[in-house]
Amino acid sequence: MSDRDLIIDRYKDLLKTYLKGKSETALYKGQQFSRKLIEQQISPDDVLSDHVSVLHELFPDMSEELKDSFDFLLEVMIGYGFAYREHQSLRTRQR
Amino acid sequence: MSDRDLIIDRYKDLLKTYLKGKSETALYKGQQFSRKLIEQQISPDDVLSDHVSVLHELFPDMSEELKDSFDFLLEVMIGYGFAYREHQSLRTRQR
């Protein structure tokens, strides 16, 4: 299992736990997990893409329109992915 | 109407156009719009938050579980919002 697969699996577990109990603790774990994702240099469009994969699995009956709305958001988020990678490169140059 | 309201309105229009026709052109407009959002220093968590507001309006029958899944994603994306603002500040310092 690749690092990326492990991360998606962990994300799925955290999301499922939140959906089951809707506790503040589970939300807080999501917040902490974002640090880990950022450390791993995973860009925001990749997070969204993983989130959508998990949604397709958890909610297979989701409407086509809703699925399409994610394609649009993903397109918008890709621009942020570029900005994010530029940020990584600026940080590296400053070290 | 504030600049922010105008942006949300434009986002909603672009998303609706995409959902109606699902054309590549409409997706491309989304990609171009992300540049405008970045220029306006709108962070990725704000984009997601606006997207979710538009979804609530377009799909009022969306399940509670699906709504909750967005709360979780938003929590994760807030971490990226911080990184994004740090990026803005690094860029400003480099000028």
Side-chain angles (χ1 to χ4, degrees):
Chain A
M1 203 181 215
S2 71
D3 281 1
R4 183 63 191 274
D5 290 342
L6 280 173
I7 282 173
I8 297 183
D9 252 43
R10 179 75 182 131
Y11 185 88
K12 201 195 296 174
D13 284 346
L14 288 172
L15 179 56
K16 277 184 185 166
T17 305
Y18 176 64
L19 292 178
K20 226 181 282 169
K22 288 171 206 172
S23 69
E24 284 297 315
T25 317
L27 262 192
Y28 180 66
K29 281 192 178 166
Q31 201 192 79
Q32 284 185 306
F33 192 59
S34 85
R35 284 187 216 157
K36 196 175 174 62
L37 294 167
I38 290 170
E39 269 170 31
Q40 296 281 326
Q41 309 206 338
I42 292 173
S43 60
D45 47 326
D46 284 339
V47 175
L48 177 63
S49 168
D50 292 346
H51 181 81
V52 173
S53 304
V54 175
L55 289 190
H56 282 195
E57 199 182 308
L58 294 179
F59 309 105
D61 298 334
M62 193 164 50
S63 75
E64 285 304 314
E65 262 199 318
L66 206 50
K67 284 180 193 168
D68 294 333
S69 75
F70 290 125
D71 290 340
F72 186 81
L73 177 62
L74 200 51
E75 202 61 45
V76 173
M77 210 52 94
I78 283 169
Y80 283 87
F82 283 122
Y84 183 73
R85 282 181 283 274
E86 189 197 359
H87 166 68
Q88 297 294 344
S89 120
L90 278 176
R91 279 179 70 119
T92 310
R93 270 193 276 154
Q94 286 198 334
R95 270 172 199 155
Chain B
M1 203 181 214
S2 72
D3 282 0
R4 184 61 192 276
D5 289 342
L6 280 173
I7 283 172
I8 297 184
D9 251 42
R10 179 76 183 130
Y11 185 88
K12 201 195 296 176
D13 285 347
L14 289 171
L15 179 56
K16 276 185 186 167
T17 306
Y18 176 65
L19 292 179
K20 226 181 279 170
K22 289 171 206 173
S23 70
E24 284 297 315
T25 317
L27 262 192
Y28 180 65
K29 281 192 179 166
Q31 201 191 79
Q32 285 186 304
F33 192 60
S34 85
R35 284 187 217 156
K36 197 176 173 61
L37 293 168
I38 290 170
E39 270 170 31
Q40 296 280 327
Q41 310 207 338
I42 292 173
S43 60
D45 47 326
D46 284 338
V47 176
L48 176 64
S49 167
D50 291 347
H51 181 82
V52 173
S53 303
V54 175
L55 289 190
H56 282 193
E57 199 182 308
L58 295 179
F59 309 106
D61 298 334
M62 195 164 50
S63 74
E64 286 303 314
E65 262 199 317
L66 207 50
K67 285 180 193 168
D68 294 334
S69 76
F70 289 125
D71 289 340
F72 186 80
L73 177 60
L74 200 52
E75 201 62 43
V76 173
M77 210 53 95
I78 283 168
Y80 284 87
F82 283 121
Y84 183 73
R85 283 181 283 275
E86 187 197 2
H87 166 69
Q88 297 294 345
S89 122
L90 278 176
R91 279 179 69 120
T92 309
R93 269 192 278 155
Q94 284 196 336
R95 270 172 200 154

